[in-house]
Amino acid sequence: MRSSHGHLAPTLVLAVLALAPVPCAWASPEGRATLDRAASQDREAEYLTAFEEGLDLLRARRDAESMARFQRCIELYPERPDAYYNIACAHSLAGRKAEAVEWLSRSLDHGFDDLGHIAEDEDLDPIRGEAAFHELLARHRKGLLKGRISVSVDPSSRPKEGPATVVVAIHGFGDSASRFLGSWEATAEATGVVVSCPQGDLRVGHDSFRWGSLAEELVLAELDEAQVRWPGARLILAGFSQGGALATRVALRHPARLAGLLVLSGVLDEGALEPLLEGARAMPVYLVHGSEDRRTIAGARASLEAFRRAGLRAELEEFPGRHRLPPDLPAVVTRALAWFTAPGEPTPVPVPAPEPEPVPTPVPEPAPGPATPRRGWF
């Protein structure tokens, strides 16, 4: 089952429409535009109402009535994928496996791209054993990877002799490859490094994306392409926020492919990090976080110690500020590149000296007297 996303709640929309002035049907262009907007608002309100009713009916396992409401959604907005998906769920729950796979295919054709949701949705459990289900997802997955989006900048300042240094930079939640690359263009020119930015596989807005079930495959494909475009390149994996956590996960699973890991305001929680550090290969790690970033600074400091305990050469740079890219990214990247190339053994973990045993202070025997009753917790 898929809830509505990216739209206002039906109750709020209806309340707004109720307060809106009723336009007069004059013939001027401005009047026609007003009428068109009102009609669009009415259509959106009807869609949201039908969608929520369809969800309620689907939860109640009244599949025929549910599908009728989602069919109305498709009549109103045939380009939106969620109603197709929920009809697939209704068919699946009713045991109509072929129809479920067919409607799931239609949802994918109309842009439903959350393969992680499909993998976890219990409504689709009845069709998971179907060969057609697996063939459909494999075909769609292959198409998504083939159509992946990435952008790059190869600066004029890059040295023409010797292998290039390529930073594969992974954007955070709600960003896009092109916008994130814009944050790196001055850094690329100042440092002479190539910067390549892949785009997340799940859309969360008109031009905003996040990382879903294809995330690691997309990053690995970006590394593969970088080696083809810049043969012998020295690869650095970098990421901001959600992209920093993703970069950490990919780097620790494929350390031999990388010359370094640069994490910008992104952390994996301890439960996810520790298993990846078991048997970790030597790889320099440079962490950069705002000292006032309540989201990540404590996790970054804990990650630093975890990296060092695992024998990795790791460093943490803190800058004044909150959850953002460092204000002087070119200088930060310059320091990180120097750290990655500096010779040295893995950073030793300081072992605190054992504290001396406390010397007990003699307690004088109390003078004989009446017994005192105990109070409180002993």
Side-chain angles (χ1 to χ4, degrees):
M1 185 186 306
R2 179 69 165 194
S3 299
S4 179
H5 62 282
H7 309 291
L8 292 174
T11 304
L12 177 59
V13 171
L14 293 174
V16 170
L17 294 177
L19 295 173
V22 178
C24 299
W26 57 79
S28 68
E30 294 81 3
R32 285 195 297 271
T34 301
L35 288 172
D36 289 343
R37 285 195 299 272
S40 176
Q41 291 173 340
D42 289 344
R43 183 170 64 140
E44 182 70 20
E46 183 181 357
Y47 171 90
L48 291 167
T49 299
F51 196 97
E52 294 300 326
E53 290 174 353
L55 286 178
D56 291 339
L57 291 164
L58 185 56
R59 294 186 187 104
R61 297 298 184 262
R62 295 161 60 181
D63 58 284
E65 297 168 84
S66 172
M67 286 190 291
R69 304 311 296 143
F70 290 128
Q71 287 280 11
R72 179 56 183 157
C73 293
I74 291 172
E75 292 171 6
L76 292 166
Y77 289 102
E79 71 279 7
R80 295 183 180 177
D82 290 354
Y84 296 91
Y85 179 85
N86 284 337
I87 291 177
C89 290
H91 280 299
S92 173
L93 291 169
R96 295 184 289 269
K97 298 181 178 180
E99 290 87 346
V101 173
E102 171 60 27
W103 280 92
L104 182 60
S105 177
R106 293 186 191 183
S107 76
L108 296 174
D109 290 342
H110 283 83
F112 193 92
D113 54 7
D114 194 344
L115 298 184
H117 185 86
I118 293 175
E120 298 173 358
D121 193 342
E122 294 178 358
D123 291 352
L124 298 180
D125 286 352
I127 64 173
R128 293 196 192 281
E130 299 298 300
F133 174 80
H134 293 285
E135 291 168 3
L136 171 65
L137 293 188
R139 187 167 62 250
H140 187 69
R141 192 180 199 93
K142 183 177 180 180
L144 289 176
L145 288 171
K146 185 177 180 180
R148 66 187 180 85
I149 296 173
S150 71
V151 292
S152 62
V153 57
D154 189 345
S156 59
S157 60
R158 175 169 69 88
K160 301 310 176 187
E161 301 295 327
T165 295
V166 179
V167 175
V168 172
I170 306 174
H171 67 73
F173 183 99
D175 207 346
S176 70
S178 58
R179 283 200 302 273
F180 195 53
L181 182 66
S183 303
W184 282 83
E185 287 177 343
T187 298
E189 196 61 44
T191 59
V193 302
V194 176
V195 179
S196 184
C197 298
Q199 186 155 282
D201 51 316
L202 296 181
R203 186 183 295 273
V204 292
H206 173 65
D207 190 30
S208 302
F209 300 84
R210 67 178 177 89
W211 296 96
S213 61
L214 289 178
E216 292 192 37
E217 292 176 77
L218 290 169
V219 174
L220 292 173
E222 193 75 9
L223 294 173
D224 290 340
E225 182 175 327
Q227 289 286 21
V228 172
R229 294 180 63 186
W230 297 280
R234 177 169 163 261
L235 299 180
I236 308 293
L237 192 56
F240 170 72
S241 195
Q242 186 193 33
L246 173 57
T248 302
R249 194 162 60 242
V250 173
L252 290 175
R253 287 177 175 164
H254 306 274
R257 304 189 61 173
L258 300 169
L261 168 64
L262 173 60
V263 182
L264 305 162
S265 300
V267 294
L268 280 176
D269 62 64
E270 187 176 351
L273 180 61
E274 292 292 346
L276 293 172
L277 289 172
E278 295 176 4
R281 295 183 51 170
M283 175 184 60
V285 179
Y286 202 84
L287 310 173
V288 183
H289 291 258
S291 58
E292 301 166 34
D293 187 350
R294 295 181 180 179
R295 298 186 193 180
T296 65
I297 189 60
R301 292 165 181 163
S303 296
L304 175 67
E305 297 308 315
F307 284 126
R308 289 177 171 178
R309 284 195 303 270
L312 276 67
R313 196 164 62 89
E315 184 60 55
L316 170 61
E317 176 179 333
E318 298 184 19
F319 62 88
R322 298 185 179 180
H323 194 71
R324 53 168 292 182
L325 287 171
D328 192 0
L329 185 59
V332 168
V333 172
T334 298
R335 288 191 290 273
L337 293 173
W339 171 262
F340 294 147
T341 56
E345 296 298 320
T347 306
V349 183
V351 179
E355 295 183 4
E357 291 290 331
V359 178
T361 303
V363 179
E365 291 291 330
T372 304
R374 290 188 171 189
R375 305 183 67 181
W377 179 254
F378 292 88

